[in-house]
Amino acid sequence: MSNPLRILKTLDRHLALPAEITLFGRSALALGYPQAPGHFHNTQDVDGILPLAWLQPPDEHKDFWQAVEQTNADLESDGLYLTHLFREVDVILQPDWISRRLRLDLGLPKLIVFRPASIDLILTKMARGDDDDLQDIQFLLKQDSLTSAQLENAFGRARVPDVPEIRELFNRTRPKVLALAAL
């Protein structure tokens, strides 16, 4: 079974109440694209984006956080985990990303799972811009016919966290992404 799917099924099993998560990283590629290479399913974690509105009020989602803890305890011996859960402002995204996210039908009774649009997933991958991320970006560019103009527009609209290293990597990765789009 796909590692990300196994993690999400475990989370779903521990939820008492309905919840939602927006995937990014390799888990979003593995579960969000039918043509994803098999090795994407080997990722050992699930990364998630939590919309600011979902986080309010702060104590409303205790069931979700307890289910995350139980999931990590259950899967620890297999080296699988769900710990990288970021607020939307801590990830490079366009301000209106949430209106373009896509719901994934994974057959989970309590957990609603989304992934960002491909262009927003590309932005999230630009926070590091390492070789693996560039390969993932190349995969995403093949899934959607994105033009250089669309990418430039997204770069200009992107909310980049106010962390100097992330800003520097984002700016350094921009020409690499445009070069990949030109292939």
Side-chain angles (χ1 to χ4, degrees), residues 60-119:
E60 183 162 323
H61 299 287
K62 287 181 183 176
D63 177 64
F64 175 81
W65 296 112
Q66 290 170 344
V68 168
E69 284 182 34
Q70 292 171 317
T71 297
N72 287 330
D74 283 0
L75 299 174
E76 182 179 19
S77 64
D78 293 328
L80 303 177
Y81 54 96
L82 171 62
T83 57
H84 300 122
L85 298 171
F86 296 92
R87 299 176 310 150
E88 66 179 278
V89 295
D90 297 323
V91 180
I92 302 172
L93 291 164
Q94 295 177 86
D96 57 346
W97 71 277
I98 201 162
S99 67
R100 284 186 309 282
R101 67 185 181 160
L102 300 157
R103 186 171 178 173
L104 306 180
D105 183 11
L106 302 178
L108 303 173
K110 290 174 259 171
L111 186 63
I112 300 168
V113 182
F114 297 92
R115 72 155 171 88
S118 296
I119 200 156

Side-chain angles (χ1 to χ4, degrees), residues 148-163:
S148 295
Q150 288 171 309
L151 290 167
E152 286 284 11
N153 183 49
F155 296 162
R157 296 183 67 236
R159 271 190 329 225
V160 182
D162 195 19
V163 177

Side-chain angles (χ1 to χ4, degrees), residues 4-176:
L5 186 56
R6 182 174 171 209
I7 294 166
L8 293 174
K9 282 185 172 194
T10 304
L11 177 63
D12 184 77
R13 190 175 70 245
H14 287 297
L15 287 169
L17 302 169
E20 73 172 49
I21 189 169
T22 301
L23 307 180
F24 75 115
R26 281 270 168 100
S27 60
L29 302 182
L31 299 175
Y33 295 89
Q35 306 82 4
H39 70 276
F40 283 7
H41 292 273
N42 295 334
T43 186
Q44 294 184 285
D45 68 338
V46 165
D47 299 327
I49 303 168
L50 303 175
L52 291 177
W54 185 85
L55 292 166
Q56 298 303 322
D59 60 347
E60 183 162 323
H61 299 287
K62 287 181 183 176
D63 177 64
F64 175 81
W65 296 112
Q66 290 170 344
V68 168
E69 284 182 34
Q70 292 171 317
T71 297
N72 287 330
D74 283 0
L75 299 174
E76 182 179 19
S77 64
D78 293 328
L80 303 177
Y81 54 96
L82 171 62
T83 57
H84 300 122
L85 298 171
F86 296 92
R87 299 176 310 150
E88 66 179 278
V89 295
D90 297 323
V91 180
I92 302 172
L93 291 164
Q94 295 177 86
D96 57 346
W97 71 277
I98 201 162
S99 67
R100 284 186 309 282
R101 67 185 181 160
L102 300 157
R103 186 171 178 173
L104 306 180
D105 183 11
L106 302 178
L108 303 173
K110 290 174 259 171
L111 186 63
I112 300 168
V113 182
F114 297 92
R115 72 155 171 88
S118 296
I119 200 156
D120 289 304
L121 279 171
I122 288 170
L123 293 173
T124 67
K125 293 278 183 186
M126 293 174 67
R128 287 189 320 212
D130 64 19
D131 288 342
D132 286 341
D133 288 321
L134 290 171
Q135 288 175 356
D136 293 351
I137 289 170
Q138 190 169 26
F139 168 79
L140 289 165
L141 288 167
K142 289 179 182 175
Q143 304 312 299
D144 287 345
S145 299
L146 299 171
T147 66
S148 295
Q150 288 171 309
L151 290 167
E152 286 284 11
N153 183 49
F155 296 162
R157 296 183 67 236
R159 271 190 329 225
V160 182
D162 195 19
V163 177
E165 296 82 7
I166 293 176
R167 285 193 175 279
E168 180 183 333
L169 287 168
F170 174 73
N171 288 324
R172 199 177 321 152
T173 305
R174 287 172 71 153
K176 295 175 184 177

